[in-house]
Amino acid sequence: MYEQDGCFPLFEFDDDRDAVLAPDHEKLAVTLPEKAVFAFLGEEIDRFAAAHSCRRAAEFVSVTKVFPVYTACIGGEEVALCQAPVGAAAAAQLLDWLIAYGVRKIISAGTCGALCDFPENTFLVPVRALRDEGTSYHYAPPSRFIELDAEGCRAVRAALAAHGLPCTDVVTWTTDGVFRETRAKVQRRKDEGCAVVEMECSALAACARLRGAVFGMLLFTADTLADPERYDARSWGEDSFSPALSLCLEAVHLL
């Protein structure tokens, strides 16, 4: 049902799953595995695919880039692997497309900015996301937060625990405005319980939920905004890219 509040278009949610332009409107001859790793890890997935002779099963063609979708046999089952584009709108568009072609269980991973005193390269499990982006409002009714799927969170925790890594649950702040994280906003988010900030989690969780898919995410700390007077980019969490992919592959196997 289309609900109009007469004020902000972003809050006019329509729960009709059929849109004029469907994610599978091209009707491609593509059937993807049920499980997928959809991660914000730079070129790590491409490197993994080359090193393990993964099959290039499909391509998502955008105006700016072609995103290859690989398949690999992981733990005796076929898994799709795809690099995720930065930003809620682009990432949700590609995730919606993957789901339309068969994906039903997704594990993602990516960097986040620390709002608390987390060391760089700390792995975290987001269980709740503050929706400070626009895309999720097209997939879920207006709310301040969205909860992540319990099944996805359990799988990420289990992968971390298998390597003796801490399983720290966090609330994340998902925002479109990377250069609008003002001091006042940072403080307000911290007061609300947000421990980290990133750009996609709430949108991906909402997209997956509307489409009936399971979604879990692994975050790792990159830069820090814990001290608003001394911002530190650090090394952007680059040491965690390869371990994060390995953890995703283990987590998605557990779904």
Side-chain angles (χ1 to χ4, degrees), residues 2-251:
Y2 179 61
E3 297 180 3
Q4 185 175 4
D5 70 359
C7 187
F8 301 109
L10 198 60
F11 296 159
E12 296 173 6
F13 178 66
D14 187 348
D15 63 4
D16 187 349
R17 295 188 181 189
D18 294 324
V20 175
L21 181 65
D24 62 348
H25 67 96
E26 298 166 291
K27 303 302 178 185
L28 301 175
V30 171
T31 301
L32 296 176
E34 180 185 50
K35 297 183 178 183
V37 171
F38 180 62
F40 304 85
L41 298 174
E43 304 305 315
E44 196 63 37
I45 287 177
D46 289 329
R47 285 193 288 268
F48 179 92
H52 294 82
S53 300
C54 296
R55 182 173 73 92
R56 189 163 174 150
E59 292 180 339
F60 178 81
V61 181
S62 73
V63 173
T64 56
K65 181 179 177 178
V66 174
F67 291 84
V69 182
Y70 304 102
T71 57
C73 185
I74 307 294
E77 60 183 354
E78 193 176 33
V79 174
L81 299 98
C82 183
Q83 176 188 333
V86 170
Q93 181 186 12
L94 181 43
L95 180 63
D96 212 351
W97 185 88
L98 293 171
I99 294 170
Y101 284 103
V103 169
R104 292 294 179 270
K105 298 180 179 182
I106 307 107
I107 295 293
S108 186
T111 62
C112 61
L115 302 181
C116 304
D117 291 325
F118 287 120
E120 187 176 7
N121 299 303
T122 299
F123 287 112
L124 303 165
V125 185
V127 296
R128 196 181 198 213
L130 189 146
R131 299 168 63 187
D132 191 15
E133 40 69 40
T135 305
S136 68
Y137 294 89
H138 299 282
Y139 286 92
S143 64
R144 193 162 186 85
F145 292 91
I146 186 168
E147 310 294 325
L148 271 74
D149 296 322
E151 184 181 353
C153 293
R154 282 195 296 268
V156 175
R157 290 191 201 102
L160 289 168
H163 293 272
L165 296 169
C167 305
T168 305
D169 292 352
V170 294
V171 178
T172 183
W173 166 25
T174 306
T175 178
D176 286 332
V178 64
F179 292 137
R180 293 299 300 146
E181 296 164 1
T182 64
R183 290 169 178 79
K185 283 186 179 180
V186 168
Q187 187 57 55
R188 182 174 184 183
R189 302 301 180 247
K190 291 168 71 172
D191 291 344
E192 289 184 277
C194 296
V196 295
V197 58
E198 40 65 47
M199 298 179 68
E200 300 88 12
C201 184
S202 59
L204 297 180
C207 174
R209 185 154 303 156
L210 180 74
R211 301 305 188 190
V214 175
F215 174 77
M217 192 164 196
L218 172 69
L219 293 175
F220 52 94
T221 49
D223 56 335
T224 177
L225 296 81
D227 182 349
E229 304 305 324
R230 299 182 63 183
Y231 170 76
D232 187 355
R234 303 195 283 201
S235 296
W236 293 111
E238 60 184 17
D239 289 344
S240 293
F241 279 35
S242 180
L245 179 55
S246 295
L247 289 165
C248 283
L249 292 170
E250 293 186 33

